[in-house]
Amino acid sequence: MFLTSFPAGPFQANCYVFSLDGRRCVVVDPGVNAFDGVKQIVDQRGLQVEAVVLTHGHPDHVGGAADVADHYGVPAYIHAEDRELFDPSLLGDIAAQIIERFGVNHVEPAHVRELVGGEALELAGIAFTTEVAPGHRPGCLLWRVALPEPLPQAPELTELIFTGDVVFAGSIGRTDLPGGDDDAMRATLRDIILVLPDTAALLPGHGPETTMARERATNPYLQDSYLR
C-alpha cells in the first residue's frame, strides 16, 4: 500500500495519493495548485492515476480537479449536490477572488460521475464505499476503505476514511458558509461519525490524520454537551 498527502494551495487543503497495489492510484481532493505536487508523486512512484475522488465541492478541495483528471484522462467523482460548485458564479465573492488571485483553472472536469452516497465503487483496485455526511456542505462524502490486511505500523486499524471537512483532529468543518447547516452537522456527527469504529483511521481535509478512538475521546464536538 502507498498513501501520501500534501497540503495544497492557500488554505493548505490535504491532497492524497492512494494506491493499494503500488501501480494504480486515486487522487483525493486535488485542490488549488495541487497539480504539480500530484504529478511529482505519480512520476516518482511510477503510478497510473485511474480516478479523482472528491469529498465535497469547495474550491480548496476541487480547484485542481480538472487539471488532474483531464491530464490523466480519468473521471472525477463528486456528490450530485456539490457538482454545482464547479460553476464559479455560485461560489461567492471570496472564492471568486481566490480563483482570480491564484489563477485557478476552476472548471468542471471533462468526465464527472455524480454520486448520492451509499455507493460501492472499485477504483484503481480499491474497494470504496461512500457515505453522505451533510452539514459542512450538502454533498459532503466520506470515502471508506476496509484494509485488506493489517498495517505493520498500526495493526489495530481496520479501515481508512477520507473525511474531507466533516471532522478533523480535534474539530469539525464550519457550517457558516453557503450550504452549511448546523443542525445537519450535529445529526451527521451523532448518526454517522460516532457510529464509526474506533479502529478507523480518519484522513481529514485539513490538518493531521487521526483515529476515531482518539476523536471519540477528545474531540469537543463529539461530546454530549455539544450534540444535545
Side-chain angles (χ1 to χ4, degrees):
M1 187 181 86
F2 173 74
L3 173 64
T4 191
S5 68
F6 62 93
F11 290 104
Q12 298 288 277
N14 290 333
C15 175
Y16 297 89
V17 178
F18 179 37
S19 172
L20 272 185
D21 62 15
R23 297 182 294 106
R24 301 168 293 169
C25 72
V26 299
V27 179
V28 182
D29 282 1
V32 175
N33 298 337
F35 175 77
D36 288 344
V38 170
K39 189 174 187 303
Q40 182 178 20
I41 293 166
V42 168
D43 289 350
Q44 286 178 346
R45 303 289 300 197
L47 296 169
Q48 177 179 322
V49 177
E50 294 203 350
V52 168
V53 302
L54 304 170
T55 61
H56 63 294
H58 281 149
D60 54 332
H61 294 261
V62 307
D67 291 333
V68 173
D70 294 353
H71 177 81
Y72 294 105
V74 301
Y77 293 79
I78 191 168
H79 193 282
E81 292 274 3
D82 268 32
R83 183 176 184 175
E84 66 179 13
L85 294 188
F86 282 121
D87 180 351
S89 68
L90 299 177
L91 294 174
D93 293 341
I94 294 177
Q97 291 169 13
I98 292 169
I99 289 169
E100 181 178 0
R101 178 181 176 186
F102 292 96
V104 180
N105 181 30
H106 192 81
V107 297
E108 184 171 282
H111 304 288
V112 175
R113 303 287 186 267
E114 288 189 359
L115 305 174
V116 297
E119 291 88 357
L121 301 167
E122 184 172 317
L123 306 172
I126 304 166
F128 286 100
T129 58
T130 67
E131 192 164 2
V132 65
H136 178 68
R137 275 288 306 173
C140 281
L141 286 173
L142 304 181
W143 288 83
R144 303 179 65 171
V145 181
L147 290 170
E149 58 186 37
L151 300 175
Q153 66 273 34
E156 73 281 4
L157 298 178
T158 60
E159 71 174 303
L160 307 177
I161 307 177
F162 297 93
T163 63
D165 287 1
V166 177
V167 62
F168 308 122
S171 190
I172 59 172
R174 58 192 295 178
T175 59
D176 59 340
L177 298 173
D181 186 316
D182 193 59
D183 290 338
M185 177 63 87
R186 282 185 163 85
T188 286
L189 298 177
R190 284 193 306 265
D191 303 336
I192 298 174
I193 299 301
L194 283 173
V195 175
L196 298 175
D198 284 348
T199 52
L202 307 184
L203 306 173
H206 299 268
E209 65 187 44
T210 185
T211 66
M212 191 59 219
R214 185 179 303 133
E215 296 314 299
R216 192 186 310 279
T218 65
N219 192 319
Y221 296 96
L222 296 182
Q223 311 309 315
D224 287 343
S225 57
Y226 177 76
L227 295 175
R228 280 200 298 265

